[in-house]
């Protein structure tokens, strides 16, 4: 395996994304820098996403698959994926949903911002960012969630729950990934919180978020509750 500069790895967590996976991989390749690698982290999806991922990996050598035996939530899937990418020599990691809620065409702009930041957050809640398809209820839950976490944690970040990020290797090495307990959106908050506490430079770049293209949402009341109760706990633990 040869890694071109700057050693970018795209980590794509999947659970039942069989309809989105191949299109998102093709779209991502169009926008990733030369030499970038793609790591799919699949939690034994019942719909066969993992088998499709294996086929894609066989067809091209820029892509590999990390199979996990069961669904444990986004957090543990990302921790496992980040570790694999770090072992593989990643210098800059990109995390993105595999359902087209995040636009792969934004990758170069986010990566460019990492020239002078350690963590770049694709942000719905800064000037120029937004959410295209959500109704008023989901919008206010998301906005309220970010505002709540921002206040409780005292962080100057507008979009704390978003999952489209560019993260420099040094950040992940510094924040003790394995002690992160959060599984859902709280995971996104916790990574950013720890990066901020460790003194890393954080920037938000505007993105337009849209509803998933195909398949079903995995958001549950439990994930929301974990974020609501988990955020004050993060602060107490520090
Ligand atoms: N490996 C793995 N991936 C997951 C898990 N939960 C969600 N994902 C993936 O993480 C990304 C974001 O999750 P989504 O299901 O889109 O969750 P969401 O964005 O909260 O909900 P919707 O966009 O409304 O569907 C997608 O690529 C999912 O397939 C999980 O437990 N394990
Ligand atoms: Mg989604």
């Amino acid at each position: 395996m040869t890694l071109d500069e700057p050693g970018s790895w795209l980590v794509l967590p999947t659970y039942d994304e069989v309809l989105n996976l191949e299109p998102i991989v093709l779209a991502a390749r169009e926008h990733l820098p030369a030499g970038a690698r793609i790591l799919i982290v699949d939690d034994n999806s019942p719909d066969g996403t993992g088998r499709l991922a294996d086929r894609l990996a066989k067809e091209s050598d820029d892509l590999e698959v990390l199979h996990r035996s069961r669904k444990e939530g986004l957090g543990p899937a990302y921790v496992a994926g980040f570790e694999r990418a770090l072992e593989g020599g990643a210098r800059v990691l990109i995390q993105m949903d595999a359902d087209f809620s995040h636009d792969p065409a934004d990758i170069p702009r986010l990566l460019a911002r990492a020239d002078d930041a350690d963590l770049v957050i694709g942000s719905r809640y800064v000037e120029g960012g937004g959410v295209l398809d959500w109704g008023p209820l989901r919008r206010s839950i998301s906005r309220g969630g970010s505002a709540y976490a921002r206040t409780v944690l005292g962080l100057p970040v507008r979009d704390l729950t978003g999952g489209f990020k560019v993260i420099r290797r040094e950040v992940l090495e510094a924040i003790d990934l394995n002690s992160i307990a959060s599984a859902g959106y709280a995971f996104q908050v916790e990574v950013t919180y720890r990066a901020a506490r460790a003194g890393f430079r954080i920037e938000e770049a505007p993105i337009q978020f849209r509803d998933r293209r195909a398949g079903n949402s995995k958001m549950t009341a439990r994930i929301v509750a974990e974020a609501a109760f988990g955020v004050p706990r993060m602060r107490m633990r520090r």
Side-chain angles (χ1 to χ4, degrees):
M1 183 178 76
T2 51
L3 273 171
D4 290 352
E5 293 283 313
S8 317
W9 281 61
L10 172 65
V11 183
L12 280 178
T14 58
Y15 192 78
D16 281 355
E17 300 289 1
V18 75
L19 295 173
N20 292 316
L21 183 62
E22 190 161 14
I24 198 80
V25 164
L26 294 174
R29 277 202 189 107
E30 277 179 41
H31 300 287
L32 284 167
R37 294 195 60 77
I38 301 174
L39 173 64
I40 296 165
V41 186
D42 186 70
D43 282 4
N44 203 6
S45 298
D47 74 351
T49 302
R51 284 191 298 280
L52 171 59
D54 284 336
R55 202 198 82 211
L56 298 175
K58 218 178 244 164
E59 287 168 359
S60 47
D61 51 17
D62 67 340
L63 188 146
E64 63 191 85
V65 191
L66 177 59
H67 293 282
R68 305 178 72 249
S69 57
R70 64 189 179 91
K71 177 167 166 54
E72 290 180 298
L74 203 57
Y78 264 128
V79 169
F82 289 161
E83 282 175 343
R84 166 68 67 88
L86 292 174
E87 275 164 32
R91 296 175 57 198
V92 176
L93 294 87
I94 305 154
Q95 62 161 85
M96 184 175 86
D97 290 358
D99 59 1
F100 284 97
S101 283
H102 301 141
D103 185 349
D106 291 333
I107 291 174
R109 193 165 47 84
L110 266 57
L111 272 175
R113 290 290 289 275
D115 281 345
D116 40 38
D118 303 300
L119 168 61
V120 180
I121 300 173
S123 178
R124 296 161 290 184
Y125 306 129
V126 292
E127 175 95 41
V131 177
L132 294 173
D133 308 302
W134 287 354
L137 178 66
R138 185 137 190 212
R139 256 174 220 263
S140 53
I141 291 176
S142 170
R143 229 181 214 289
S146 266
Y148 166 75
R150 183 169 72 240
T151 308
V152 172
L153 299 175
L155 288 180
V157 173
R158 311 301 304 182
D159 192 342
L160 275 167
T161 54
F164 197 4
K165 290 176 175 169
V166 171
I167 313 172
R168 290 191 162 279
R169 170 183 192 97
E170 297 72 30
V171 175
L172 296 175
E173 286 174 335
I175 64 173
D176 187 18
L177 283 173
N178 277 302
S179 69
I180 299 185
S182 315
Y185 296 111
F187 174 78
Q188 312 294 3
V189 180
E190 193 154 11
V191 168
T192 297
Y193 182 53
R194 290 185 180 203
R197 301 245 349 131
F200 290 105
R201 299 161 303 171
I202 301 176
E203 298 235 359
E204 291 181 90
I207 57 157
Q208 294 292 332
F209 181 97
R210 60 187 65 223
D211 260 339
R212 57 167 51 254
R213 188 182 276 185
N216 298 317
S217 173
K218 276 126 231 159
M219 183 157 90
T220 59
R222 184 159 162 214
I223 288 175
V224 177
E226 178 196 62
F229 296 111
V231 164
R233 235 180 272 138
M234 274 171 220
R235 195 192 160 113
M236 285 179 325
R237 259 207 314 272
R238 90 183 181 205

